Amino acid sequence: MRTSRWSRAIAVGAGVVLAVSAHTASAAPPPPGPGTADPHGPGRGAETSAPARSGSGWTAEDAEEFWTSRRMESATPPPSPGPPDSATPATGSAAPRALASRAPSATYYKGTKTVGVLYYVDSGLKAHSCTASVVHSPRGNLILTAGHCGPGRKHAFVPRYRTGTPAASQPYGIWAVDRFFKDPRHTATGPGSDLDFGFATVKPDRTGRQLEQVTGANTLARTPGYRVRATVIGYPKARYDAKDQAVMCRAGTTRLPGYRQLRMECGGLHGGTSGGPWLLDFDERTGTGRVVGNIGGVGGGGPSSAVSYAPLYDDEVFKLYDDAVHDVATVVRPPLPYTLGTGETWQRARQLASGDYTGDGRADLLVVWNSGEVTLHTGDGKGGFTGGRRLKAPNGTWKHATTLTGGDFTGTGRAGLLVRWSDGEVTLYRDVSAAGLGRETRLAKAGSVWKHAAQITAGRFTGNARADDVVVRWSDGEVTLHRDVDGGGFPEAKETRLKKPSATWKRTTLLTSGDFTGSGRWDLLVRRPDGRRTLHQDVGTGGLGRATRLPGSDALWKHAAVMTAGAHTAGGRADDLIVRWSDGGVTLYADTTTRLGAERGLVPPKAT
């Protein structure tokens, strides 16, 4: 594990592929891959949602009349292809066997007056959708649940629900939901899943009392950290647990890697428990505590009934609380900032290639993932990125891309992509852009000598105006320079041997190129197996140039997995080095010379 400041950073992005939740009442869409088009790209305005008001025709009396005991018992979640353990009716609260030895199980619970069941009607389907809890508010009319739990028609809240009991006879009544408030940026996966919380206002009962006067309330509080010991209460649907009553679990939490979410292992939290509160200092006598989370998050709250997630409560939950308290007409939020993601995702980045693929004068980053997916991340010219686009969906072909490089092979000023495939074929993609990889030209056939090209990197090695010269390290340690590469291939007349086959170069692990010394003739940066970095200055037809060893920890650099360089910061010189580490972290070293430049973290490492 690396020991830089980024090794201690907390990841806040997304990109981890997880299963559909067993807690939500409906199936979440498949999570996006690392190359999904950025939904919050540059130029997008604020995101809004207008909480619908249920209207004067939906009152506590109406809720009592509509939600008969028969309707409440027959309400089932929409069909979901959830994990096997969530689709099997439970006969008890035992956790799956795989977790039984190390994780607690939820136990049946008499219930508490501050936690209950949400019902709604959607497209004619009557559903026990989620769990909700009462939170203190100035008017005493607010409940908390998961963002993915609403809204719906004929929404009603039943505190301390009792199975088989008509709505009018429920111990603390049935309450008509008026308006449902959620963050408009909430999504099932990615950074938006950190916002899976929602509030709803409820109407007074027949006598004019507000909900909190009847039930009391929990206190909304900030999550003190990722490691807490929480009490979780929820109502699994009878489809999953035949007893159709509340369950409780007390367990410790950890962080869900890559997200601002808590993770808990506890069996028995089946479908219907989404929105259930995570409470600290829960008082059995009053039935209240401090609520610091709710079942929700990636995919709706967890991959199975034995593993649950909860969004971390920070400023965003209090902003939404304020909107609900003040009954705003529209919830308005700025777009979430674009993020490259987390170390959990970037451990799967197999190849990197810098280049100005969009033609705006700034270097972008092209990534080939181990699934065969290809993505393009648009550079902002300041060492960051403003958006990501998928150029190729995961596929078998691009899994065979062995080595690649970006360069100006067509003279347009925009970078194309040169790829050597595992069978020895070499292809040139001339017109790479955010729209796709463009036209493909074959430069060498399958089975050619290029099968032995271990690494390639393009640059201005002959001093001309284009980065169209290619340095190749061959599998036997030979190093060659191929000048003026274009759609015509690699003519022998333009090939120069820079190094005879050697054991040292045979063992070279990584190489990339850039104008690190500012001479106009590009340099070659090499990483050896022991972590040593060597800069070969002014590479050209005369040879590899002067070798300078870069200072720094060799032990640290053993963990450098992929390198590329380009003009990612101001100044327009290709001297910004990007490194993907073995722990998934990505670092940019701006303005690198014979010393590494200023370090900037682009992606935090995988959480440990």
Side-chain angles (χ1 to χ4, degrees), residues 34 41 47 55 63 141 162 306 327 437 465 526:
E47 302 203 30
N141 66 338
R162 287 290 180 267
D327 200 27
L437 287 165
V526 177

Side-chain angles (χ1 to χ4, degrees), residues 411-430:
T412 62
R414 281 175 50 173
L417 187 69
L418 192 68
V419 183
R420 197 277 279 178
W421 304 90
S422 59
D423 62 1
E425 183 178 6
V426 180
T427 55
L428 172 63
Y429 294 87
R430 300 165 174 263

Side-chain angles (χ1 to χ4, degrees), residues 24 144-149 182-183 186-188 191-198 261 274-275 294-301 310-311 313:
T24 183
L144 165 70
T145 186
H148 71 267
C149 288
K182 65 176 291 182
D183 194 304
H186 167 249
T187 54
S193 67
D194 294 335
L195 304 170
D196 192 10
F197 41 74
Q261 296 174 33
S274 280
N294 59 265
I295 292 180
V298 176
Y313 282 0

